[in-house]
Amino acid sequence: MKKYNRALFFFIITFAFFALFNCGPQAKPYDLVITNGFIIDGTGNPWFKGDIAIKDEKIIKIGQIDIKQAKKTIDAQNLTVCPGFIDIHTHCDRGIGKTPTVDNYIYQGVTTVIGGNCGGHPFPLSEHFKKIEENGTSINFACLVGHNTIRREVMGYKMDPPTEEELEKMKSLIEEEMKAGAIGFSTGLSYLPGIYSKKEELVELASAVAPYQGIYATHLRDQAFHITEAIEEAIEIGEKNGIPVQISHIKLAQDAVWNELERITKPVEEARSRGVEVTIDQYPYTATSSGFTSSLPSWAFEGGKEKFLERLKDKDNYEKIKSFIIKRRLTSTRGINKLETIYIARFQKFPEYEGKNLQEILLSQGKKPTIDNAADFIIEIEKNGGASGVFFQMDEKDVEDLMRLPYNMHGSDGGVQVIGRGVPHPRNYGTFPRVIGHYVKEKGVITLEEAVKKMTSLPAQTLRLKRRGLIKEGMYADLTIFDPLTFQDQATFSNPHQYSKGLMYVLVNGELAVEKGKHTGELSGKILYGYGKE
Ligand SMILES: [Zn+2]
């Protein structure tokens, strides 16, 4: 009894103390107030001056706010405050599990990444989501269901169309993933085994995401001579199922079709004008990056890797594969020496080649830098476990013209990186600050407000993300604050492992992931589940 009285006494004294000095937890209605910033709200509207109040994980007030009402304040004088960037196209899937702080994205001001792109996702998603939630993560994550993953699961590396039974099995797996919270269906039609599939298969499979408000996102079958047909195929898949179509990492990827933008704009705008929701995304560089495997003909891999190695022993097959590589990767209609445009990004077996181009590698091997020798070397790469490369294959003018399209947004097409590992494409570190530092500030291709819209509300709208992508009362407090004078990418092709400069603060769900330019280690990111799991 005596003990109880003493506890009661302390409770009353503590309560009286807080009441008297007005400093108790109840006294401050806001967890954080950001004052004096130039607010760019994500709608595309011009900036305005104001304060933003945050409580728990949401923005609860915008306007003039008394900082005495806040537990903590950030003075954003001379800084730009905008919604956290949403990267609609990444391959962060597994990296988030291994590196929960996701530094190379957080340091770009990115607060949400979308995985499961280009037809590949971690299967099954329910387990993957659970693992991320157990580990924690600094960034929000949403995921698509990948066609290649599902097809491999059901059919292996078969070139044939699926049987009725296989098709049903694939559909039911896609549905399972949508129920686990996926936000749509993705294809990678120049990768294995998706490259073996026909349009009819894809129309049928995409129907499985329609009841869950899923979208169709696609790495097109062709990004050069046949890009128009490839876009038309994507549109038909979306249109027949009544779902939005997102064309991933749009580009004119061969010098023979450079500056022929209507190959892209015509089919997209025709579809939009008849009511099909088609949007595109792009990374702000003239080089691509992928595995070397897609430089080889798909038939070479039918049945899997062992079959490929067996096929190479046949002289006829070898020559056929080689001439495909030459046509696909090593020929230029503009007299460009392609050997100087292709770099090794990561090669587990021969890391000494990382960061070098094919010309440099052949010379270092004492060989002549000929197209013929380069094609042999690409086959050697595949025989030795494969490698990823960086390929300069776009034109700067096209990059800028695509950026101006109102239905285009920014996406990195990158993944979670480990400092010092390989020589990856700088897009992994620089995409978002590069758009702002280089294309907005230096070149004036688009305005800052447009760029922010393409990084925030446009991807949020496209992906049907709820309460993200805008600075508005009731939205989640995902915010990025940078110095508009200095915000800039630092990563280059030769020295990619560099974070941007000028980034000051990043908030993810109301918590500071970056404070005064430094990652705090905070793990406040969430899985953003689709409509199948609400
Ligand atoms: Zn892709």
Side-chain angles (χ1 to χ4, degrees), residues 106-285:
I106 288 291
Y107 275 123
Q108 295 185 57
V110 174
T111 55
T112 297
V113 290
I114 311 306
N117 276 293
C118 301
H121 81 282
F123 177 84
L125 261 183
S126 56
E127 275 175 31
H128 189 63
F129 284 156
K130 198 169 145 228
K131 191 181 153 203
I132 291 176
E133 282 177 334
E134 278 167 8
N135 282 355
T137 169
S138 291
I139 214 160
N140 300 314
F141 177 68
C143 200
L144 299 152
V145 188
H147 171 236
N148 292 344
T149 302
I150 298 294
R151 201 181 205 268
R152 197 179 299 119
E153 201 66 32
V154 175
M155 299 174 63
Y157 286 93
K158 255 165 65 178
M159 263 181 101
D160 306 328
T163 62
E164 198 60 37
E165 201 185 323
E166 285 166 337
L167 196 66
E168 281 313 309
K169 178 79 186 136
M170 287 195 279
K171 271 173 81 174
S172 76
L173 289 181
I174 292 167
E175 205 172 334
E176 217 171 274
E177 299 299 67
M178 291 306 287
K179 283 182 182 156
I183 57 167
F185 177 57
S186 85
T187 54
L189 300 177
S190 62
Y191 295 133
L192 299 164
I195 197 166
Y196 300 142
S197 65
K198 301 265 187 314
K199 183 175 64 192
E200 294 65 37
E201 172 185 332
L202 301 171
V203 168
E204 193 56 32
L205 293 179
S207 73
V209 307
Y212 306 96
Q213 299 193 46
I215 68 159
Y216 175 57
T218 179
H219 172 138
L220 297 170
R221 213 179 274 280
D222 189 277
Q223 302 184 91
F225 281 109
H226 302 290
I227 190 168
T228 303
E229 293 95 305
I231 291 173
E232 282 164 353
E233 178 188 37
I235 288 167
E236 194 177 327
I237 292 162
E239 191 168 13
K240 284 202 165 141
N241 288 300
I243 60 177
V245 177
Q246 176 70 18
I247 298 169
S248 304
H249 47 59
I250 193 83
K251 62 181 79 80
L252 290 166
Q254 233 175 58
D255 54 2
V257 295
W258 281 355
N259 306 155
E260 295 178 16
L261 215 66
E262 63 284 0
R263 286 178 185 264
I264 295 167
T265 53
K266 196 165 176 280
V268 170
E269 287 169 18
E270 275 175 8
R272 288 193 64 86
S273 69
R274 63 172 191 273
V276 190
E277 186 182 329
V278 189
T279 43
I280 61 182
D281 63 78
Q282 168 203 33
Y283 47 85
Y285 297 89

Side-chain angles (χ1 to χ4, degrees), residues 258 286-288 336 338 340-343 390-394 493:
W258 281 355
T286 54
T288 67
I336 296 166
K338 298 289 272 186
E340 286 179 325
T341 67
I342 299 172
Y343 288 75
V390 168
F391 309 87
F392 286 85
Q393 57 187 130
M394 289 177 251
F493 283 97

Side-chain angles (χ1 to χ4, degrees), residues 8 34 157 164 323 373 377 393:
L8 188 68
I34 299 160
Y157 286 93
E164 198 60 37
S323 64
N373 285 337
F377 181 65
Q393 57 187 130

